[in-house]
């Protein structure tokens, strides 16, 4: 399956859903141009340099490089080579005054090149695109279930055996990612932001897990260097009495699952604040289970968030989510999709959506304690975990 094309019928259904959503938004819409690799993969099944032009009647993928690769990989109906954006103007001589684009990811440089040959005023369609991707098809859910099964195996069963005195954060992260790769994972995780990088994940020991990271995430890391706040430090090595945070995503066939786990390396009874660490961990497990029970079809993300905040033990409120203002996030082709379990997200969720729930508590002088799993919203009942349990083994006696 890793090199099996996205089914043609799947691509066709996505295009029809896009046209329907656009017509509901703007009955007079007449063109959309997409250039972001995630959007191109979603609608065409290939990631190439080029542009997808969608109208109420037509959809053409113009490919600069590589046309041959696109033809081999994609079952999209109409793929054409592109020398310059003049080719789009020749294929579509009647460019409307307004054209919808993905404003969040289209660069000014790309927009300038397009407008050289296609004089139009851009209009944002980001919310439409996000809404379509939020509800997963059976094909997409199958991809995510496979990723989640692999994710659970590596993080819950293999990772504990990799903890040993003297291993660095960076080495541990790379060993876990290698274990995923050996079992069919795609190797990196993608983010839905123009400046975000494709990353492996994070392994952090004790105080390093409280460090601010480049991404909007409660999980902290010192990174490999100032220029890469990810993976972990090559110098910080594991010692008895460390907390271990692993926040390492897994991806298969383009789709991600997210899972975090924390361990205590040693015996908690020997730590002067062992009871506090254990209680913080139990609190996070409780909060994840509570949130999963509330995430049902029809639930409102902002209401779930507010309810969970009331459940946080007063002792842990100052450190809850390490200053981040959310509890979880949608996930799919990218790690940080919409909607988010946070204030301001007031539209009800529906079956087929997928969320990562990640309660975490920062304990000053100790580290970040928490858990995280990816959940599927089902038609009737609480959310179903795709990545295993939150109450897993905690103490690792090295």
């Amino acid at each position: 399956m890793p090199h099996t094309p996205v089914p043609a019928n799947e691509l066709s259904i996505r295009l029809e859903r896009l046209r329907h959503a656009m017509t509901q938004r703007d009955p007079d819409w007449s063109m959309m141009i997409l250039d972001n690799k995630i959007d191109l993969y979603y609608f065409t099944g290939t990631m190439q340099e080029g542009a997808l032009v969608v109208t109420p009647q037509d959809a053409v993928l113009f490919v600069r490089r590589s046309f041959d690769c696109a033809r081999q990989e994609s079952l999209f109906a109409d793929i054409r080579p592109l020398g310059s954006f003049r080719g789009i103007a020749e294929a579509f001589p009647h460019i409307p005054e307004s054209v919808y684009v993905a404003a969040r990811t289209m660069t000014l440089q790309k927009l300038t090149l397009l407008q050289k040959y296609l004089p139009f005023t851009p209009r944002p369609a980001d919310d439409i695109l996000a809404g379509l991707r939020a509800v997963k098809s059976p094909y997409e859910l199958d991809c995510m279930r496979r990723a989640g099964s692999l994710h659970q195996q590596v993080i819950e069963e293999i990772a504990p055996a990799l903890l040993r005195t003297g291993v660095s954060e960076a080495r541990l992260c790379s060993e876990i990612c290698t274990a995923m790769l050996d079992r069919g994972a795609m190797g990196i995780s993608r983010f839905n932001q123009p400046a975000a990088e494709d990353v492996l994940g994070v392994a952090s020991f004790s105080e390093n897990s409280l460090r601010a990271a480049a991404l909007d995430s409660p999980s902290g890391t010192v990174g490999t260097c100032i220029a890469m706040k990810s993976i972990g430090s090559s110098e910080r090595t594991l010692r008895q009495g460390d907390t271990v945070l692993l926040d390492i995503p897994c991806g298969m066939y383009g789709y991600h699952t997210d899972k975090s786990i924390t361990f205590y390396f040693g015996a908690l009874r020997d730590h002067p604040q062992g009871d506090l660490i254990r209680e913080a961990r139990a609190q996070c497990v409780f909060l994840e289970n509570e949130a999963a029970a509330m995430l049902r079809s029809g639930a409102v993300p902002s209401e779930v968030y507010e309810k969970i905040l009331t459940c946080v033990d007063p002792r842990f409120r100052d450190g809850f989510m390490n200053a981040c203002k959310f509890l979880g996030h949608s996930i799919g082709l990218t790690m940080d999709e919409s909607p988010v379990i946070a204030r301001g997200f007031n539209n009800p969720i529906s079956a087929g959506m997928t969320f990562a729930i990640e309660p975490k508590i920062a304990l000053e002088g100790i580290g970040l304690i928490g858990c995280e799993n990816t959940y599927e919203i089902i038609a009737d009942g609480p959310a179903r975990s795709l990545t295993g349990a939150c109450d897993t083994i905690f103490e690792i006696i090295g």
Side-chain angles (χ1 to χ4, degrees):
M1 186 170 176
H3 292 89
T4 301
V6 180
N9 185 58
E10 178 81 8
L11 299 176
S12 178
I13 290 172
R14 293 176 187 181
L15 271 179
E16 288 310 306
R17 290 180 65 217
L18 173 62
R19 289 183 172 119
H20 177 73
M22 287 301 303
T23 300
Q24 284 190 315
R25 161 68 63 79
D26 177 4
D28 297 323
W29 82 281
S30 55
M31 182 173 286
M32 174 181 286
I33 298 179
L34 301 174
D35 73 310
N36 176 263
K37 65 182 180 180
I38 301 299
D39 292 325
L40 294 188
Y41 184 77
Y42 182 74
F43 289 109
T44 73
T46 187
M47 287 186 179
Q48 307 300 326
E49 173 64 25
L52 171 65
V53 179
V54 181
T55 72
Q57 297 80 29
D58 301 300
V60 181
L61 174 61
F62 293 91
V63 177
R64 186 188 302 276
R65 180 170 178 85
S66 161
F67 175 72
D68 290 338
C69 184
R71 294 288 293 176
Q72 292 168 7
E73 294 179 346
S74 174
L75 298 178
F76 192 75
D78 194 344
I79 305 177
R80 306 180 194 181
L82 179 69
S84 73
F85 290 127
R86 186 194 303 274
I88 298 178
E90 292 171 350
F92 293 90
H94 303 294
I95 303 297
E97 180 179 338
S98 296
V99 173
Y100 284 90
V101 300
R104 187 178 186 186
T105 54
M106 180 170 283
T107 65
L108 179 59
Q109 179 188 39
K110 182 64 70 66
L111 182 61
T112 300
L113 290 172
L114 278 167
Q115 290 176 326
K116 179 178 178 181
Y117 302 105
L118 312 170
F120 65 84
T121 300
R123 298 184 65 180
D126 302 78
D127 59 332
I128 293 288
L129 298 169
L132 293 175
R133 292 224 308 263
V135 180
K136 310 301 188 293
S137 69
Y139 166 82
E140 293 177 291
L141 289 172
D142 181 62
C143 291
M144 293 188 67
R145 289 168 186 150
R146 295 186 185 210
S149 178
L150 187 155
H151 209 169
Q152 177 182 9
Q153 178 191 13
V154 173
I155 296 298
E156 294 184 11
E157 300 175 14
I158 296 175
L162 299 176
L163 302 185
R164 71 270 187 191
T165 300
V167 67
S168 72
E169 293 175 339
R171 168 59 65 179
L172 179 60
C173 184
S174 68
E175 289 179 357
I176 292 170
C177 290
T178 297
M180 290 181 180
L181 276 170
D182 288 344
R183 290 160 178 79
M186 66 185 187
I188 53 89
S189 55
R190 294 190 171 101
F191 290 83
N192 191 34
Q193 302 173 34
E197 297 177 282
D198 299 341
V199 300
L200 296 178
V202 165
S204 291
F205 304 152
S206 294
E207 72 285 351
N208 280 355
S209 62
L210 300 176
R211 299 283 290 269
L215 294 169
D216 185 14
S217 168
S219 299
T221 176
V222 69
T224 56
C225 62
I226 292 175
M228 175 50 68
K229 296 293 187 179
S230 183
I231 302 174
S233 169
S234 298
E235 299 176 354
R236 176 61 162 92
T237 58
L238 187 60
R239 303 184 292 257
Q240 288 287 320
D242 276 333
T243 59
V244 178
L245 168 70
L246 302 179
D247 192 350
I248 301 175
C250 182
M252 297 183 76
Y253 328 121
Y255 289 86
H256 303 81
T257 51
D258 206 2
K259 183 176 178 71
S260 298
I261 196 167
T262 49
F263 300 107
Y264 182 80
F265 189 63
L268 267 175
R269 65 176 179 272
D270 297 332
H271 194 289
Q273 294 180 284
D275 288 343
L276 179 67
I277 295 172
R278 191 185 303 278
E279 289 162 8
R281 200 269 183 152
Q283 170 82 153
C284 290
V285 170
F286 166 75
L287 294 173
E288 182 178 320
N289 285 329
E290 284 293 296
M294 294 174 64
L295 280 178
R296 298 169 177 257
S297 181
V300 176
S302 60
E303 294 177 0
V304 174
Y305 178 72
E306 295 290 354
K307 176 62 176 178
I308 292 299
L309 286 184
T310 68
C311 296
V312 178
D313 189 306
R315 294 177 299 164
F316 301 127
R317 283 178 184 165
D318 288 346
F320 185 61
M321 293 305 290
N322 202 15
C324 289
K325 304 300 183 184
F326 64 91
L327 177 67
H329 52 89
S330 294
I331 186 170
L333 282 174
T334 62
M335 295 290 298
D336 53 338
E337 303 215 336
S338 185
V340 179
I341 306 175
R343 293 187 176 110
F345 291 86
N346 301 319
N347 291 328
I349 63 177
S350 59
M353 289 185 172
T354 48
F355 289 89
I357 305 173
E358 53 174 324
K360 294 183 173 73
I361 294 171
L363 297 178
E364 186 176 355
I366 297 174
L368 191 69
I369 307 297
C371 48
E372 178 182 18
N373 283 288
T374 298
Y375 290 83
E376 173 190 343
I377 307 303
I378 62 176
D380 183 18
R384 176 190 298 137
S385 177
L386 301 180
T387 51
C390 52
D391 191 7
T392 54
I393 184 173
F394 185 48
E395 292 179 78
I396 306 294
I397 307 300

